[in-house]
Amino acid sequence: MSRSRAADRGSDTTSSRLLRAPVLLLIVLTALALTAACGSRLPESAFEGRSPGAGAPAPTGPARGEPVKVGIITSATSPVGAAAFVGPRDGAAAYFHRLNAGGGLNGRPVQVVTCDDGGSGVGNNTCVHRLVDEEKVFALVATTALDYAGAPRVSRAGVPDIGGQPIGPAYDTHPHLYGIYGSQAPRDGRKPGWGGTLYGGTEVYRYFRREHGARTAAVVSYNQASSAAYARLVTRGLEEEGYEVVGEQLDFALPNFPAVAADLRARGADLVFDALDTHGNAQLCEAMDAAGVRVTAKVTNVQNWSAAVARDYAKAPGCRNALWATGASRSYDDTGHPAVREFREGMRGRPGADTLSQWQLEGWAAAMWFTDAARSCGADLTRACVERFLRAEPYTANGLLLPVTFEKLSEPPRTRHSCLSVARWQDSARGGEGGWVSQGEMTENCFTVPQLPYPP
């Protein structure tokens, strides 16, 4: 396919990201605002990153026989909460632990150096300085940062950042950064996306319309800036796919969930999307159950795709069993797949094993991605070699990911053939906690959809 045709159609294999990074960022922002209401938010100055220094580039590869040093930056103790961002770190650490137990990387152990940036830009720059300039890590893996202020410094140092979560626009801005979902943007280090605009598809909405006949969708948000902005984005995508959209807005300080639930029942919504935090979602679900609201799907995203659903929605069994999650990775509960079984076996006895999550699986896949890239270099391990692997072919982590590509299109695609992973929560018939049941093969849940612009 010519590059000009690719710009028109987009990749035939890679999922787009309209409901990915914006969702994650919105949940973070609304959760931060909630903690602000309780008086526990960090001061705004804590989120202002220092001007990144040039940094001293680490050697391009470790000396032969030495451990391969890998860094993991996580906003583990951010204002959002201690458990919000640690999944990718725990999954990646479990993979490297299993790798080392099996002989390491081409006979060398992988030394993992972690850093908690505290969820602030200042802390993130401190972590980048420590790992890149002081620890001289060869690469970063599974970065999950609330404010990735140090991204320009990482890129200037030529340190490959592999399989990070795109909470902000860094992975669509800087070279040497390879997000877990890929990118088609130029990534020239100046502006995110194409001249400061990102694009994403409507495949999630298309899926529920085509596969489940949904026609009416409710979008529930707070009357808070970030929540309302995301709700407008979701509404736009739904309208593009021909839905009748019911907008429901809650007062941020005194949300009336029963009133929203009553209106959802009266309007006969097939789907419910939201721009709420986890606590707000649980309250909405409880109100929906109390009002007898039954929907085809209460749609959530990869960040909430975890075993914590059983606990978080304990008081709303009806709504809990209407929860659907969409993403670009194979469900961690899909135990019929050998790569998923390997992940679950590798998590046994490791941090986070008591509450498995999709983010853990994606962190595991990120570590596998780095390992496969490094193995391709043999004894001559260099960053240039690793990055050639990252850019060469679509990557699937043995089927855990939808194919990840990096294309650097000069113009944004107008349409794209996009696939998505879909799972539905189902309580156990035997009295256990239940789990996520995959809905079709993710490589076959594919649609050619328009790409809509949105600000980062």
Side-chain angles (χ1 to χ4, degrees):
M1 180 189 299
S2 69
R3 182 52 57 96
S4 60
R5 253 185 91 196
D8 182 53
R9 285 189 62 221
S11 170
D12 285 340
T13 55
T14 307
S15 174
S16 62
R17 45 173 299 178
L18 180 60
L19 278 181
R20 193 165 301 127
V23 169
L24 299 176
L25 181 57
L26 172 87
I27 291 171
V28 168
L29 291 174
T30 52
L32 281 173
L34 285 172
T35 54
C38 299
S40 61
R41 183 179 177 179
L42 292 180
E44 290 298 324
S45 59
F47 292 87
E48 297 172 1
R50 296 189 298 250
S51 298
T60 60
R64 295 189 181 186
E66 291 184 355
V68 180
K69 192 177 291 189
V70 171
I72 303 178
I73 299 175
T74 309
S75 297
T77 56
S78 75
V80 181
F85 292 102
V86 297
R89 178 201 68 189
D90 292 347
Y95 182 89
F96 288 131
H97 177 80
R98 188 178 179 90
L99 178 70
N100 286 336
L105 175 58
N106 293 335
R108 291 188 286 183
V110 173
Q111 180 183 347
V112 177
V113 184
T114 61
C115 191
D116 173 13
D117 68 10
S120 76
V122 170
N124 187 264
N125 271 312
T126 299
C127 279
V128 168
H129 172 67
R130 177 192 158 204
L131 296 183
V132 173
D133 302 329
E134 296 177 358
E135 294 285 351
K136 307 291 186 186
V137 297
F138 176 75
L140 298 176
V141 173
T143 300
T144 312
L146 174 57
D147 183 355
Y148 198 176
R153 187 175 196 153
V154 171
S155 185
R156 284 198 302 271
V159 176
D161 178 336
I162 302 166
Q165 290 290 339
I167 296 170
Y171 290 95
D172 280 310
T173 305
H174 301 286
H176 306 295
L177 273 60
Y178 300 87
I180 193 69
Y181 307 125
S183 176
Q184 292 182 309
R187 298 191 301 132
D188 56 12
R190 294 192 289 270
K191 291 183 178 180
W194 290 266
T197 300
L198 297 175
Y199 289 77
T202 60
E203 62 270 20
V204 172
Y205 318 125
R206 180 76 59 87
Y207 170 82
F208 285 103
R209 182 167 67 85
R210 289 276 185 90
E211 301 298 319
H212 299 282
R215 293 292 181 268
T216 303
V219 182
V220 185
S221 64
Y222 293 121
N223 61 347
Q224 184 255 3
S226 60
S227 181
Y230 180 67
R232 288 192 295 270
L233 177 63
V234 173
T235 297
R236 182 183 173 198
L238 286 164
E239 290 176 342
E240 182 75 18
E241 288 296 332
Y243 284 84
E244 178 186 346
V245 181
V246 177
E248 302 282 358
Q249 192 167 82
L250 291 154
D251 183 270
F252 186 63
L254 296 170
N256 189 341
F257 290 100
V260 168
D263 197 48
L264 291 177
R265 183 180 59 186
R267 304 290 290 274
D270 300 313
L271 307 178
V272 176
F273 293 86
D274 70 86
L276 309 176
D277 58 297
T278 301
H279 179 66
N281 262 301
Q283 288 186 293
L284 176 60
C285 267
E286 290 172 22
M288 289 171 62
D289 269 21
V293 179
R294 296 292 180 263
V295 295
T296 300
K298 169 89 170 59
V299 187
T300 187
N301 58 80
V302 68
Q303 191 178 17
N304 295 318
W305 192 338
S306 78
V309 161
R311 178 189 68 241
D312 294 339
Y313 296 86
K315 297 179 181 179
C319 184
R320 181 175 67 242
N321 282 279
L323 285 176
W324 294 61
T326 64
S329 54
R330 190 174 300 277
S331 174
Y332 73 87
D333 266 338
D334 188 1
T335 54
H337 196 279
V340 173
R341 291 198 299 271
E342 185 179 2
F343 157 72
R344 295 173 69 97
E345 290 166 4
M347 287 297 299
R348 288 177 184 168
R350 300 291 303 170
D354 56 336
T355 307
L356 291 178
S357 74
Q358 201 65 12
W359 261 15
Q360 291 172 351
L361 179 139
E362 292 185 351
W364 174 279
M368 186 191 302
W369 195 8
F370 164 77
T371 301
D372 287 345
R375 279 177 172 159
S376 74
C377 303
D380 187 20
L381 179 58
T382 66
R383 289 172 174 162
C385 174
V386 166
E387 291 200 58
R388 281 195 297 273
F389 182 94
L390 299 176
R391 295 190 298 263
E393 298 291 340
Y395 185 74
T396 69
N398 290 342
L400 293 180
L401 304 174
L402 285 168
V404 184
T405 60
F406 296 89
E407 297 184 75
K408 289 194 174 183
L409 301 181
S410 59
E411 298 293 333
R414 292 189 288 271
T415 63
R416 196 175 186 189
H417 193 71
S418 301
C419 305
L420 70 160
S421 176
V422 185
R424 179 181 182 177
W425 180 269
Q426 184 174 309
D427 286 348
S428 172
R430 297 187 295 273
E433 288 189 343
W436 293 94
V437 180
S438 295
Q439 306 295 305
E441 167 55 40
M442 67 179 184
T443 58
E444 298 175 0
N445 289 333
C446 304
F447 310 91
T448 299
V449 294
Q451 299 296 291
L452 305 181
Y454 64 90

